[in-house]
Amino acid sequence: MSHESILDSITRESNLVSFKLEDIRLQVENNEVADVTVNLDYIDGLNPNELKNVVPIANNIKDYLTNYPNNPNDLFEVINRNLTEELLTDDNLGLSEVLDSLSVNLDVAPAIIPFQFDSTNTRTQNGGINDIISFRLEDVTSPIDGGIVADVTVNLDYVDGIDSSVFRDVIPIGNYIKDFLANYPVEAGLYEVLNRDLTQELLNDSNIGLSGVLDSLSVNLDVSPKIIPFQFDSTNTRTPNGGINDII
């Protein structure tokens, strides 16, 4: 049986191998369903016969997630961290000796989290760990310009290697964003200014506690045509040290 008949998709580009598993039911409190995308970045110049068969890797992932051995109430980003550690430390898979990095994206269908959510955990050969959390709120309303509707996409890039106990629950962050936009005090103004104000307030709010745990916060505001008669979006990225970047 070929790899392609077992996996939902697989691609190979030089020393990077990617594959995707769809509709994996997680052994967690609400039995959420997730798609899992894996990137294996092999060491440059590796002998081709040292490349790993992806089928056992995929089977390990399915077994781990459908029989999750830890707390079923773990945040999904914690589950993803535990999964990547399991993959790299499994001697039968032998990934730790042949990869520059391993990256797993866990894309979770809305359930206990009532909106699109995904977590990407990347581990490097030298022990580096990076976590990026993304979520999307759809059809959020704001009274400015007589009432607008927007989709809001948020990226939380956590400090590399930070302890997983400080990961923030995204539901209060999503509720904060909806409340901020619904009660924005300026009746008219540029949407990019609105987005700047939103990211600043998210980082400043001590109850949410993002400023001490993130390398950067990025918010994309995708506004349905109204005052601006065409598709428009604004992305504002802030770092806790005061860096600001706007892309319109």
Side-chain angles (χ1 to χ4, degrees):
M1 184 178 292
S2 69
H3 294 171
E4 287 76 2
S5 64
I6 295 175
L7 304 176
D8 293 289
S9 64
I10 179 171
T11 58
R12 301 176 181 85
E13 296 180 8
S14 61
N15 62 327
L16 179 65
V17 175
S18 301
F19 61 90
K20 183 175 183 177
L21 310 173
E22 295 182 346
D23 299 331
I24 306 298
R25 189 165 296 279
L26 309 178
Q27 183 60 41
V28 293
E29 183 179 15
N30 290 279
N31 294 319
E32 280 87 352
V33 174
D35 294 340
V36 184
T37 302
V38 180
N39 289 319
L40 308 174
D41 185 5
Y42 282 92
I43 296 169
D44 291 345
L46 192 71
N47 191 310
N49 63 21
E50 294 184 87
L51 298 177
K52 301 302 181 182
N53 184 348
V54 295
V55 175
I57 303 172
N59 288 337
N60 183 296
I61 292 169
K62 291 178 180 179
D63 181 68
Y64 186 83
L65 292 178
T66 57
N67 298 280
Y68 185 61
N70 301 313
N71 187 344
N73 295 314
D74 279 345
L75 295 176
F76 296 120
E77 40 270 65
V78 175
I79 294 173
N80 199 7
R81 262 207 186 184
N82 291 338
L83 171 60
T84 57
E85 182 178 18
E86 166 70 16
L87 291 173
L88 279 181
T89 56
D90 190 312
D91 292 335
N92 293 320
L93 296 178
L95 293 176
S96 62
E97 299 87 3
V98 297
L99 297 183
D100 271 336
S101 68
L102 165 70
S103 179
V104 176
N105 175 273
L106 195 66
D107 189 351
V108 183
I112 189 67
I113 296 176
F115 41 77
Q116 183 277 331
F117 168 90
D118 68 278
S119 156
T120 301
N121 179 254
T122 302
R123 291 179 182 265
T124 61
Q125 186 188 53
N126 61 7
I129 304 175
N130 176 256
D131 298 273
I132 297 177
I133 311 305
S134 301
F135 61 91
R136 180 179 176 87
L137 311 173
E138 296 184 345
D139 300 331
V140 181
T141 60
S142 176
I144 68 171
D145 288 341
I148 64 167
V149 177
D151 294 338
V152 184
T153 302
V154 180
N155 287 321
L156 309 174
D157 184 0
Y158 280 91
V159 173
D160 288 355
I162 200 165
D163 191 277
S164 61
S165 65
V166 305
F167 288 144
R168 303 307 189 207
D169 185 347
V170 296
I171 295 177
I173 302 173
N175 291 337
Y176 185 98
I177 291 170
K178 291 178 181 178
D179 183 69
F180 183 88
L181 293 179
N183 297 283
Y184 190 63
V186 178
E187 289 300 319
L190 295 176
Y191 301 134
E192 43 267 61
V193 175
L194 165 62
N195 200 5
R196 272 202 174 195
D197 290 344
L198 172 59
T199 56
Q200 182 176 4
E201 289 303 314
L202 284 172
L203 279 181
N204 287 349
D205 192 288
S206 58
N207 292 320
I208 295 178
L210 293 176
S211 63
V213 299
L214 296 184
D215 273 336
S216 68
L217 164 70
S218 179
V219 176
N220 176 273
L221 192 67
D222 188 351
V223 183
S224 298
K226 187 177 181 182
I227 299 297
I228 298 176
F230 42 78
Q231 187 276 334
F232 171 88
D233 67 279
S234 156
T235 300
N236 179 253
T237 301
R238 287 181 183 265
T239 59
N241 63 8
I244 304 174
N245 177 258
D246 296 278
I247 299 175
I248 309 303

